[in-house]
Amino acid sequence: MLASSAIMTIRFWSWIHVFPLISLFAIQPGIWGQASGQTARLETADTKIVVEAGAQGPRLTTLSGSGQGSWENLASEPLIEFVEIGDEKIPLHWQFDRDASHSDEKSVSFVYESATPHLRLTWLWKAPQPYGPVEHQIRIENLSSQELWIPMQDSLDFNWKVAPQLPLQHLFVEKGANTPSAVGTHEAAITDGYRWTGAASTYGDIRDDEPREIIPWSLVQRQDLQAGWYAGIEFSGRTRISLERTKDSLRGAIGLNPDPAPFGTRLAPGESFESPIVFLGAFRDGPDGAGNVLHRWVRAVLGNPGTWHNPHYPLIVNNSWGGGMAVNEEVARRMIRDAADLGVEMFHVDAGWFRGVGDWYPNPEKFPNGLAAIADDAHQHGLKFGLWVDWTQAGLSTHPGALNARDPKVRSWMVTDIPKDWEPEPFKGQTIDLGVPEAKQWAQKEVERIVTDYRLDMLEHDGYLVAHGCDRADHPHAAPDPLNKCVYKTWGAYFVDSSNSTDVSYHAVRAYYDIYSKLRRDHPGLLFEICSDGGRMVDFGTAAHGDYFSITDTYDPVSNRRAFHDTSHVLPAAMLESYVEKWPTPHIENFRYMLRSGMMGWLTIMIDTNTAWSPEQHAAAKREIDVYKTELRPLIRDANLYHVSARPDGVHWDGEQYWDPERQRGVLYAFRGTVEREDTHAFVLRGLDPSRRYRVKFFDHTSPDRTISGRELMGKGLKIKLPLQNSSEMVFIERAQRRQ
Ligand SMILES: [Zn+2]
């Protein structure tokens, strides 16, 4: 149970008695600064913070959690020091406004004001749930009567005091993006001199010469305690997390990406800048201990309650991309019939259905009766209907209603001028900047029309929805730097890089969130799949605006398992979609291995099952889909997840384990790789009670069912024997009634 409380006191000396863990170092006058004496405390079952309002700036004083001491912060939060009005740079003098500040059990807001120009800065902390991390945001309002420009304000900046020899470890996770890389989940020792920056945007892995993007999240643990803290960013624009250790200090910054500099954003009179919300949590029991709390928290705080209330979430889907762009009415109807027979729950039409890029109307040659007829057919077969749309891309179609790149209005929304001979790719065009109010309005109307006219239960967005950078000086974002600008073409579209790129993404992402928030309000129950050429938009901002993610754009079994292994460290498994594509399956065991590699989260089959699957494979798939719905789905939704092997490499064995402590049930997914001699492997299970006995049932009967003690399962492990390479087993685990 949480002890959620907030203390507002002017006697700041008093709390050192309350928090004996905090050393006297923290309250030496020089470090304390000119304390106004106002402190507050925010607490969940996992995370405790103490914050302090100095006269000129606020400070996160300590972060602590059970199983570890406190992390003392040596630095006040750096607040922006100047604004620009016209060509003039005006220094700011922030003053604490005690009367406007507020603190209660669930939130703390310290307010600072600048007299000239008149600005208000609100430094916010929230505990949205009684467990898990706390959230932090900084809001800057322009209360003056003039337009002004503000420089970079980070979301969170800290400098933990750490003992010089303290063994610290850093964990961060790449996006699955186009293809999961060879590493994916990174574990690095944070030794003296460690310097790291991880960046995220909506374009992960678009250029070979840039480092892989991270899911904007990082975890730091004390190796001796398996405890520490983690932080993440609830925003999809250009963000970064940086860490630097020097002797007794671990500095970090989390927020928008200041690179390329200089960042500036415009504030009209009355407008506000809101730093991306970050969350900060303490954890114990290692990265899986952190992940299992964070999964629940993401579901409760960021997730759509309507989605999670549906007991059929996550759904099983069949998608038309197995046949590429060749989808048509006949293919769709045939796939719907077979999907219904297999027990699939949604039919998803991928790219290829439309007249042209930007012209999001059904191609009359492929769909002579329109798309609503296909939706009706799916519904009559008991299936939901989903649709792929790349709705921010302009093409060259001249049909009424199409987003035509040559239309002067549309041209002014696009991120750069395109040459006269430009043509879109079959399903990719030129991105418009949603940060332009007219463009946003058009997009809002267009997605509303698509959802209504085509009777959608699910809308998937793809392509590059958010402008990468923008060449225009007349958009709401900052103008590009003409001397430091790069325009390049890749995948049939033009991209811009300049010092305004972060501000461009700040505006475009907020517009995208507005569009989806309204769509969700107007269509409760409508599902959103987040896709950006695969898993390039996997972050906590999209987690708050969509229902599930395409986690990679490579669909073979090992890539699916790698992307799942990585992403499931931070996001709920139910939100993690694997597309299962056609793969060589000479034996039925290989077929089950292929399916199960995508069955640990949200399963989307991307195969025309009519033509690709034999009767034996149909029967096997039917059984797998049935066990997914009855046994696996409840675990994927609610259970704890343990990464019980090294990251999958396709060569050695790998596996993931679910364990639901409420229902005392779980499952081990075991996958055998390609090493000829390795036909057995023992998985050391987690989360069980060593003093209890557990019934283990081998779904494929590769070993006899039996009862095993928790001590053995968590010690020697659960032995699996699989004679074939590229095969698998699912072992269901249930607590036996009798004590040991
Ligand atoms: Zn723009």
Side-chain angles (χ1 to χ4, degrees):
M1 182 56 209
L2 84 157
S4 187
S5 68
I7 301 167
M8 294 282 276
T9 169
I10 52 164
R11 294 168 293 112
F12 76 85
W13 282 102
S14 64
W15 59 255
I16 64 166
H17 304 297
V18 185
F19 299 103
L21 280 174
I22 297 163
S23 81
L24 285 171
F25 188 79
I27 49 167
Q28 284 171 15
I31 292 152
W32 194 250
Q34 287 179 298
S36 72
Q38 183 146 321
T39 67
R41 170 183 162 184
L42 212 50
E43 184 169 341
T44 74
D46 303 286
T47 307
K48 303 178 183 68
I49 60 162
V50 179
V51 293
E52 191 251 352
Q56 271 98 48
R59 178 157 73 119
L60 165 66
T61 319
T62 58
L63 163 70
S64 55
S66 67
Q68 58 183 313
S70 7
W71 299 79
E72 296 165 25
N73 188 10
L74 303 175
S76 293
E77 186 93 65
L79 306 179
I80 56 166
E81 292 174 342
F82 64 89
V83 296
E84 286 178 78
I85 300 179
D87 291 335
E88 208 186 340
K89 207 168 181 174
I90 301 165
L92 298 175
H93 303 284
W94 294 109
Q95 290 294 331
F96 180 53
D97 183 341
R98 181 183 303 269
D99 295 336
S101 299
H102 170 83
S103 163
D104 60 39
E105 287 190 353
K106 289 187 173 171
S107 73
V108 177
S109 62
F110 288 155
V111 175
Y112 287 80
E113 294 237 358
S114 145
T116 30
H118 192 190
L119 301 177
R120 179 184 295 138
L121 183 147
T122 307
W123 194 72
L124 263 170
W125 288 90
K126 273 188 195 169
Q129 285 293 317
Y131 58 87
V134 293
E135 289 181 312
H136 179 46
Q137 186 177 43
I138 295 171
R139 190 169 60 233
I140 301 170
E141 296 169 74
N142 178 7
L143 301 178
S144 80
S145 55
Q146 283 172 294
E147 175 183 293
L148 48 84
W149 290 77
I150 64 167
M152 172 63 66
Q153 172 65 63
D154 253 320
S155 294
L156 177 64
D157 190 301
F158 56 84
N159 187 1
W160 305 128
K161 175 178 155 49
V162 291
Q165 299 309 323
L166 194 67
L168 293 175
Q169 192 180 38
H170 182 199
L171 189 89
F172 62 96
V173 176
E174 291 174 5
K175 291 177 179 173
N178 185 35
T179 300
S181 82
V183 183
T185 298
H186 294 255
E187 289 171 46
I190 306 177
T191 49
D192 188 16
Y194 184 76
R195 256 184 111 158
W196 172 88
T197 298
S201 76
T202 51
Y203 286 84
D205 199 27
I206 191 175
R207 285 172 62 167
D208 294 338
D209 57 342
E210 287 180 340
R212 294 281 306 197
E213 284 201 355
I214 59 161
I215 297 173
W217 171 93
S218 261
L219 174 147
V220 172
Q221 74 172 346
R222 281 185 56 165
Q223 270 165 305
D224 52 339
L225 301 175
Q226 295 280 297
W229 58 269
Y230 58 88
I233 307 176
E234 298 172 26
F235 196 65
S236 314
R238 300 185 78 256
T239 59
R240 66 85 178 81
I241 299 177
S242 68
L243 280 177
E244 182 177 355
R245 182 171 187 179
T246 42
K247 295 189 177 70
D248 61 350
S249 141
L250 179 65
R251 291 196 67 121
I254 305 176
L256 289 175
N257 193 341
D259 186 37
F263 172 86
T265 194
R266 180 202 319 258
L267 287 187
E271 261 185 355
S272 294
F273 167 81
E274 290 175 333
S275 72
I277 297 173
V278 295
F279 57 81
L280 177 65
F283 73 92
R284 56 181 184 167
D285 301 328
D288 281 338
N292 286 324
V293 172
L294 185 59
H295 294 166
R296 287 211 318 278
W297 187 89
V298 166
R299 170 177 173 167
V301 177
L302 308 180
N304 182 15
T307 300
W308 285 92
H309 281 154
N310 176 1
H312 299 301
Y313 174 81
L315 278 65
I316 290 196
V317 182
N318 199 357
N319 169 292
S320 66
W321 195 242
M325 297 284 283
V327 64
N328 61 29
E329 176 161 340
E330 192 230 317
V331 170
R333 288 186 185 275
R334 198 174 66 202
M335 286 186 72
I336 286 170
R337 275 199 307 276
D338 206 40
D341 179 60
L342 286 164
V344 164
E345 294 160 310
M346 176 154 69
F347 177 61
H348 176 181
V349 173
D350 210 296
W353 60 270
F354 40 81
R355 286 195 302 220
V357 171
D359 186 6
W360 308 117
Y361 292 80
N363 180 332
E365 282 162 29
K366 292 181 173 186
F367 292 96
N369 299 300
L371 266 191
I374 305 300
D376 290 347
D377 190 34
H379 293 150
Q380 279 156 17
H381 282 82
L383 302 175
K384 302 273 187 201
F385 181 63
L387 189 66
W388 176 103
V389 189
D390 208 345
W391 52 263
T392 58
Q393 308 272 300
L396 292 179
S397 170
T398 51
H399 282 110
L403 197 60
N404 184 323
R406 305 278 178 230
D407 176 344
K409 174 190 73 181
V410 175
R411 203 165 64 208
S412 71
W413 300 345
M414 292 191 310
V415 297
T416 190
D417 286 327
I418 50 169
K420 286 197 172 62
D421 61 353
W422 175 81
E423 281 190 22
E425 307 254 305
F427 58 96
K428 261 192 183 22
Q430 182 64 43
T431 299
I432 56 168
D433 183 355
L434 290 177
V436 179
E438 298 77 26
K440 175 184 170 185
Q441 224 169 54
W442 177 88
Q444 182 87 62
K445 246 178 97 178
E446 181 64 354
V447 289
E448 170 60 40
R449 179 192 69 78
I450 291 167
V451 166
T452 306
D453 284 6
Y454 308 144
R455 300 177 194 159
L456 301 193
D457 303 297
M458 188 280 284
L459 174 65
E460 175 200 2
H461 70 58
D462 193 8
Y464 296 102
L465 192 84
V466 170
H468 184 264
C470 186
D471 213 1
R472 311 286 183 188
D474 58 352
H475 287 179
H477 53 70
D481 178 353
L483 299 176
N484 183 15
K485 190 177 81 178
C486 162
V487 180
Y488 56 96
K489 189 181 182 191
T490 181
W491 295 334
Y494 286 86
F495 294 84
V496 183
D497 266 343
S498 189
S499 59
N500 68 346
S501 293
T502 296
D503 194 40
V504 170
S505 79
Y506 172 76
H507 283 86
V509 164
R510 288 161 62 96
Y512 154 60
Y513 290 168
D514 285 350
I515 290 167
Y516 265 29
S517 299
K518 177 163 170 33
L519 209 51
R520 187 170 262 179
R521 276 197 306 276
D522 295 347
H523 301 272
L526 178 67
L527 291 164
F528 296 116
E529 175 182 341
I530 308 297
C531 176
S532 180
D533 270 13
R536 290 177 161 91
M537 279 180 83
V538 179
D539 64 69
F540 301 95
T542 41
H545 293 88
D547 300 295
Y548 65 108
F549 298 96
S550 163
I551 54 174
T552 182
D553 223 13
T554 308
Y555 318 119
D556 62 276
V558 174
S559 297
N560 278 336
R561 298 208 302 283
R562 283 181 157 180
F564 180 84
H565 180 92
D566 297 338
T567 316
S568 62
H569 280 99
V570 293
L571 284 158
M575 300 182 84
L576 310 183
E577 177 193 35
S578 301
Y579 281 95
V580 169
E581 71 174 359
K582 194 168 184 300
W583 192 72
T585 54
H587 303 282
I588 199 68
E589 288 86 348
N590 308 134
F591 179 82
R592 288 197 295 255
Y593 166 92
M594 171 194 82
L595 275 185
R596 289 170 187 170
S597 295
M599 276 172 58
M600 294 181 284
W602 176 300
L603 169 66
T604 292
I605 298 161
M606 198 170 64
I607 297 171
D608 185 347
T609 53
N610 291 281
T611 51
W613 286 357
S614 69
E616 186 195 19
Q617 290 172 337
H618 263 93
K622 228 169 157 162
R623 189 159 173 260
E624 297 293 309
I625 289 168
D626 182 60
V627 77
Y628 181 94
K629 291 198 244 181
T630 53
E631 300 287 335
L632 298 171
R633 179 154 58 200
L635 296 170
I636 291 166
R637 283 170 58 94
D638 302 324
N640 287 332
L641 176 67
Y642 296 98
H643 295 81
V644 289
S645 74
R647 185 169 182 265
D649 61 6
V651 177
H652 302 95
W653 287 72
D654 62 81
E656 311 286 351
Q657 179 207 342
Y658 283 105
W659 179 250
D660 184 342
E662 298 285 317
R663 282 176 280 205
Q664 290 289 313
R665 296 174 70 85
V667 68
L668 169 75
Y669 291 77
F671 297 95
R672 185 190 159 180
T674 52
V675 178
E676 209 167 315
R677 292 180 311 277
E678 284 183 13
D679 67 344
T680 57
H681 184 80
F683 287 92
V684 175
L685 302 189
R686 313 257 305 273
L688 308 178
D689 179 349
S691 68
R692 292 282 192 168
R693 291 185 69 77
Y694 294 87
R695 185 87 188 136
V696 294
K697 292 181 186 167
F698 295 78
F699 189 67
D700 297 338
H701 307 293
T702 56
S703 292
D705 299 348
R706 54 192 187 271
T707 303
I708 308 177
S709 74
R711 185 163 287 109
E712 184 179 333
L713 291 169
M714 293 171 69
K716 282 198 309 201
L718 176 60
K719 202 162 151 189
I720 314 285
K721 188 172 165 68
L722 295 175
L724 272 183
Q725 296 162 32
N726 293 328
S727 65
S728 64
E729 176 60 287
M730 293 190 294
V731 187
F732 289 93
I733 308 147
E734 198 177 358
R735 195 178 71 190
Q737 292 308 309
R738 192 168 52 79
R739 272 195 171 267
Q740 195 171 9

